């Protein structure tokens, strides 16, 4: 089993809050990803068991949403928003800058396993463009230098 | 019942159905009322994803998808207006944005709904310059199905099929938007007893069967209606034939029997038709004790001789027969007549068995078990017991059903007979006990009827000719009767007349002859089932 007993309990509690237990599937997947860092096929199978679904149905949900990861990544996941408002405010340049600073391409993980860099379509913070998400924290009104400082402070 | 009007014609439709369902129930969908559709399938749940079946409904400001719009009394529907045409054109344009248009190398070409509807509703030029999405052209989803991701239009028919019919649910749609792909769960495969149906219901060339793909261009195939011989369900099929060969079986819709499906085992049973182990000529056991090729007249002559000599010496009761549930009602009826003319009542029928399921596959692995029983052929065991007791001198055997494990030792028992006359399609161990072997036609090579487990009489017709001289069991037996000089066996064999004659002797078959049952068959008359 890859999902801990503690997380299983929290999933059961989440299920109880929905008229259809299946409604708690997204919440459950968030809990699993929080614990494991990503959602591997074994975890999908276990979640499917908990919900009486087929593993393939859980995988459909996991693969649909950008915030769920099937592959393991670095200790921190950094996503630069590259949708239109952010791009108009320099998000592409920001992303290129971070790529060269970290020495990896978008979608890759640093060799020391510290950071996985990616981009996302819209994180809903257009008024503060350009912006990036570091794990669960939004960093807004960025310029390349500040973004690099933020990344350098990550352990 | 609600009344609706479609393109100016009134229909009375069942309550609680959607437009497409109701029109399909009436049998007019794509048969008078043309509403193109990809994702909707009469035997699957409604998806509503392809948007092609949009129609105009009076009083509704926007076009509605016919697949998921419930019928209402007084509903007035238009399927051919300019608005509808333009909507379909738009849907087709979107579907084709990412379609590879590799029709020249696509197996579906010629029976492709995308081609058909592009022909009818497609715009002649592309408005996009962006590259089409590049995906995997050959994904082995499992042992039977090969998947071309680029051609897929994401109608989800295959996904729904696996969840709803075999209940195995191997397939899903992963990803989102224009990155969506159909696939199996990581590390698993599409593997179930009905998997190849997904290739039939795939409206495009995305899912193809490993067995049929690249074998032939489909427009060379002639699709002959027939019945699968794999089990007593008698699934309705088309035999895809060309150059006197059967290339595939595909299910033919019959809501009373198999809906629109067929099991993989039955589908692949076509391979037996042109198999290298077909019996291609008569064989006679020589004085040295080995089987040697012979002429039909020699074989029939020897058979008649054996029967006559034995009957004269010990009475007709020493002549016995074991019928086959692979033979047609007509074949079996001729056998009955032959036995009656000889004056023997020693007969039975061997029925091979296998694993059945709750969907289509039946344990009785032959198409005409119920027909044989209805024509009076009982179990094989009493006959085998009689043979073991030395009470049978000459035995007529149809088919090799006796080799089923449940008749263990049957071959040894047969050796107790002075002479075994075997009529069969394929070489088998049974020949070791036979003195006379006569080749007969496969179900794909003859006209006749089978009676399925539920008592439905269904027609088969010749789809191919055997590439050697062989007659049906019935005609072979007819010639044997003629060689014996039996009353009623003179003249030319007429399977249609035989088929009609069954009804006069067995009233349940009245009006159930080959020319009367129609393409979907008829239940036996007065049959409680």
């Amino acid at each position: 089993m890859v999902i801990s007993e503690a997380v299983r309990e929290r999933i059961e509690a989440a299920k109880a809050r929905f008229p259809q237990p299946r409604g708690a599937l997204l919440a459950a997947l968030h809990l699993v990803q929080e614990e494991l860092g990503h959602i591997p096929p074994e975890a999908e199978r276990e979640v499917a068991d908990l919900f009486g679904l087929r593993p393939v149905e859980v995988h459909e949900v996991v693969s649909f949403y950008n915030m769920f990861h099937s592959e393991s990544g670095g200790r921190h996941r950094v996503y630069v928003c590259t949708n239109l408002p952010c791009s108009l405010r320099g998000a592409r340049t920001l992303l290129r800058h971070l790529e060269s600073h970290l020495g990896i391409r978008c979608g890759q993980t640093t060799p020391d396993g510290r950071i996985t860099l990616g981009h996302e379509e819209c994180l809903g913070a257009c008024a503060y463009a350009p912006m990036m998400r570091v794990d669960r924290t939004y960093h807004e009104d960025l310029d390349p230098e500040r973004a690099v400082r933020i990344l350098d402070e990550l352990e | 019942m609600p009344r609706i009007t479609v393109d100016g014609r009134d229909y009375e439709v069942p309550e609680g159905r959607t437009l497409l369902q109701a029109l399909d129930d009436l049998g007019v969908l794509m048969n008078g009322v043309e509403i193109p559709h990809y994702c909707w399938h009469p035997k699957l749940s409604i998806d509503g994803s392809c948007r092609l079946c949009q129609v105009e409904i009076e009083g509704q400001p926007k076009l509605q998808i016919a697949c998921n719009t419930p019928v209402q009394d007084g509903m007035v529907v238009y399927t051919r207006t300019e608005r509808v045409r333009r909507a379909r054109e738009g849907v087709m344009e979107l579907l084709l944005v990412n379609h590879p248009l590799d029709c020249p190398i696509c197996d579906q070409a010629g029976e492709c709904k995308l081609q058909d509807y592009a022909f009818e509703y497609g715009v002649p030029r592309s408005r996009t310059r962006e590259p089409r999405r590049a995906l995997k052209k050959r994904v082995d989803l499992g042992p039977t199905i090969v998947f071309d991701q680029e051609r897929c239009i994401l109608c989800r028919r295959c996904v729904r099929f696996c969840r709803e019919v075999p209940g195995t649910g191997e397939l899903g749609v992963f990803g989102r938007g224009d990155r969506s792909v159909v696939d199996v769960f990581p590390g698993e495969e599409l593997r179930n007893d009905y998997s190849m149906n997904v290739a039939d219901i795939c409206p495009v060339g995305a899912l193809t069967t490993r067995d049929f793909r690249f074998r032939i261009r489909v427009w060379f195939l002639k699709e002959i209606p027939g019945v699968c011989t794999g089990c007593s369900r008698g699934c309705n099929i088309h035999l895809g034939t060309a150059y006197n060969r059967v290339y595939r079986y595909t299910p033919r819709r019959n809501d009373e029997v198999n809906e629109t499906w067929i099991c993989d085992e039955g589908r692949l049973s076509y391979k037996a038709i042109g198999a290298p182990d077909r019996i291609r000529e008569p064989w006679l056991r020589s004085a040295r004790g080995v089987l040697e090729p012979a002429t039909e007249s020699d074989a029939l002559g020897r058979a008649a001789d054996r029967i006559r000599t034995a009957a004269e010496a010990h009475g007709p009761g020493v002549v016995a027969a074991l019928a086959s549930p692979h033979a047609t009602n007509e074949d079996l009826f001729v056998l009955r007549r032959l036995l009656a003319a000889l004056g023997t009542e020693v007969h039975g029928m061997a029925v091979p068995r296998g694993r059945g399921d709750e969907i289509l596959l039946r344990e009785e692995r032959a198409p005409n078990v119920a027909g044989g029983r209805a024509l009076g052929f009982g179990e094989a065991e009493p006959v085998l017991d009689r043979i073991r007791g030395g009470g049978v001198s000459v035995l007529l055997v149809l088919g090799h059903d006796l080799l089923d494990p449940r008749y263990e030792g049957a071959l040894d028992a047969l050796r107790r007979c002075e002479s075994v006359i075997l009529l069969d399609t394929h070489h088998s161990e049974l020949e070791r006990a036979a003195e006379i072997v006569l080749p007969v036609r496969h179900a794909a090579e003859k006209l006749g009827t089978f009676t399925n487990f539920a008592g439905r009489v269904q027609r088969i017709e010749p789809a191919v000719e055997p590439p050697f001289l062989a007659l049906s069991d019935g005609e072979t037996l007819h010639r044997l009767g003629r060689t014996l000089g039996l009353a009623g066996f003179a003249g030319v064999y007429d399977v249609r007349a035989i088929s009609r004659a069954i009804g006069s002797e067995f009233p349940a078959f009245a009006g159930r002859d080959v020319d009367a049952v129609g393409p979907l068959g008829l239940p036996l008359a007065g049959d409680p089932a």
Side-chain angles (χ1 to χ4, degrees), chain B residues 272-292:
Chain B
I273 301 164
D277 61 340
R278 285 290 298 272
I279 301 176
R280 309 171 78 88
E281 63 221 314
W283 295 77
L284 277 179
R285 198 163 292 280
S286 71
R288 292 185 296 127
V290 292
L291 283 175
E292 288 176 359

Side-chain angles (χ1 to χ4, degrees), chain B residues 288-301:
Chain B
R288 292 185 296 127
V290 292
L291 283 175
E292 288 176 359
T295 64
E296 188 202 78
S297 63
D298 282 352
L300 288 175

Side-chain angles (χ1 to χ4, degrees), chain A residues 78-82 90-101 104-107 117-120 144:
Chain A
V78 174
Y79 291 97
V80 177
C81 174
T82 55
R92 303 272 167 177
T93 320
L94 176 69
L95 183 59
R96 296 287 97 81
H97 193 80
L98 295 184
E99 282 183 333
S100 62
H101 179 73
I104 55 172
R105 303 293 303 272
C106 179
L117 181 65
H119 76 99
E120 258 188 293

Side-chain angles (χ1 to χ4, degrees), chain A residues 98-129:
Chain A
L98 295 184
E99 282 183 333
S100 62
H101 179 73
L102 294 171
I104 55 172
R105 303 293 303 272
C106 179
Q108 294 178 332
T109 303
T110 53
D112 59 1
R114 198 167 61 96
I115 290 175
T116 298
L117 181 65
H119 76 99
E120 258 188 293
E121 282 307 334
C122 184
L123 289 165
C126 309
Y128 315 101

Side-chain angles (χ1 to χ4, degrees), chain B residues 418-487:
Chain B
E418 282 168 28
S419 180
V420 171
I421 304 162
L422 175 66
L423 278 63
D424 206 353
T425 49
H426 294 76
H427 288 294
S428 75
E429 276 204 319
L430 222 47
E431 286 165 31
R432 292 197 208 159
E435 186 197 3
I436 301 153
V437 180
L438 286 153
V440 290
R441 292 185 171 223
H442 185 276
E445 299 159 345
K446 63 186 176 185
L447 184 65
T449 56
F450 289 134
T451 311
N452 87 343
F453 79 100
R456 191 175 196 82
V457 183
Q458 307 194 101
R459 171 192 159 100
I460 56 165
E461 57 187 275
V464 288
E465 277 289 306
F468 43 84
L469 280 175
L471 306 170
S472 66
D473 303 64
E475 187 162 9
T476 308
L477 293 169
H478 178 83
R479 290 194 179 186
L480 178 59
R482 198 168 60 195
T483 311
L484 280 160
L486 297 175

Side-chain angles (χ1 to χ4, degrees), chain B residues 88-99 123 153:
Chain B
R88 288 176 186 164
E89 203 175 274
V91 170
M92 284 306 298
E93 187 175 18
L94 280 172
L95 287 174
L96 290 168
V97 159
N98 272 316
H99 194 76
V123 277
I153 59 167

Side-chain angles (χ1 to χ4, degrees), chain A residues 22 40-42 44-45 54-61 63-66 119 121, chain B residues 156 159 162-163 167-176 179 183-186 188:
Chain A
R22 188 176 173 158
E42 308 83 75
E44 288 173 342
R45 283 180 203 280
R54 296 190 178 89
V56 73
E57 293 173 276
V58 176
H59 190 65
E60 285 183 321
V61 174
S63 65
F64 185 89
Y65 291 104
N66 283 22
H119 76 99
E121 282 307 334
Chain B
R156 293 171 48 92
V159 175
C162 290
R163 290 178 192 186
T168 43
E170 295 97 329
L171 297 174
V173 176
F174 306 142
R176 188 176 72 216
R179 285 174 217 151
D183 210 339
V184 286
F185 190 78
E188 301 207 338

Side-chain angles (χ1 to χ4, degrees), chain B residues 309-320:
Chain B
T309 311
E312 277 166 11
H314 310 288
V318 298
V319 180

